[in-house]
Amino acid sequence: VRLTKVRLAPILVALTLAIAGCGSSSSSSSSSGVSAAAYVKSVCGTLANWKSDVTGAASKLQTASSAAKTLAEGKQQYVVFVTSLVAATGKAASGLQAAGIPNVTGGKQGATTLSQAFTKASTSLAGTIAKAKAIPTTSAAAYQAAASGVSNQFKSSLNSLASASPKRNDALKAAAAKDPTCKALNAG
């Protein structure tokens, strides 16, 4: 049972850059919301947890699929993996919403863009659960073809996260550059 590896590094770099981009480049700020530092700390913490959840699920899948003796066992592990992706991405969407609105010009638009990207990806990924459950186990070829289709769909959903690109904001960029979790995410 061969499964493709989830590549998160490019997505995380793009998302971390998107965090620094929330809002516009104007130096004026809005009158309510959370500080730039608090916002990026919360967002980068959410993304770090998401990365951990997804890479943990991928690692479990690799181990379990190597040990799978039948296609049915491989399929069961694949369904667990896809379900874990959906849960992790939904949890991240909630965490991004809970991060609040950064107190910068355009902060609401930027924060909304980022959280909606995860909400959309979570919804898209949810559709892959039924497809994973429908993977046939009658032949290795049929299994692999269906599993590849599911993999392509969840890769597309995850790659759509990288397109969340609000306008650049210097205050958020500076806060992200100082935050250890953001720096770790940028390092890969």
Side-chain angles (χ1 to χ4, degrees):
V1 181
R2 185 182 68 81
L3 299 167
T4 58
K5 185 174 181 165
V6 177
R7 301 204 191 286
L8 295 178
I11 295 166
L12 288 167
V13 168
L15 289 171
T16 305
L17 293 173
I19 294 162
C22 291
S24 68
S25 59
S26 170
S27 60
S28 64
S29 64
S30 60
S31 61
S32 64
V34 299
S35 70
Y39 179 75
V40 297
K41 179 181 176 86
S42 180
V43 169
C44 287
T46 295
L47 293 177
N49 289 337
W50 177 75
K51 176 185 177 185
S52 177
D53 290 348
V54 172
T55 56
S59 178
K60 286 179 186 175
L61 174 64
Q62 290 298 91
T63 301
S65 65
S66 295
K69 292 180 175 55
T70 66
L71 293 175
E73 288 174 7
K75 173 182 168 178
Q76 180 182 6
Q77 294 306 317
Y78 199 60
V79 169
V80 168
F81 169 69
V82 173
T83 302
S84 296
L85 276 180
V86 172
T89 305
K91 186 171 90 174
S94 295
L96 292 170
Q97 289 171 351
I101 306 299
N103 190 13
V104 298
T105 300
K108 181 176 183 178
Q109 179 184 1
T112 300
T113 297
L114 194 57
S115 66
Q116 283 181 348
F118 270 83
T119 299
K120 183 178 176 184
S122 180
T123 301
S124 176
L125 285 168
T128 63
I129 294 173
K131 289 182 180 184
K133 288 179 178 178
I135 292 172
T137 57
T138 54
S139 75
Y143 176 94
Q144 192 60 45
S148 287
V150 174
S151 292
N152 289 337
Q153 184 177 348
F154 76 68
K155 284 179 187 177
S156 175
S157 296
L158 294 179
N159 285 334
S160 72
L161 294 174
S163 68
S165 57
K167 295 177 184 173
R168 178 184 156 105
N169 182 278
D170 292 336
L172 292 174
K173 183 178 179 182
K178 293 177 184 175
D179 185 84
T181 304
C182 291
K183 288 196 284 190
L185 285 171
N186 268 330

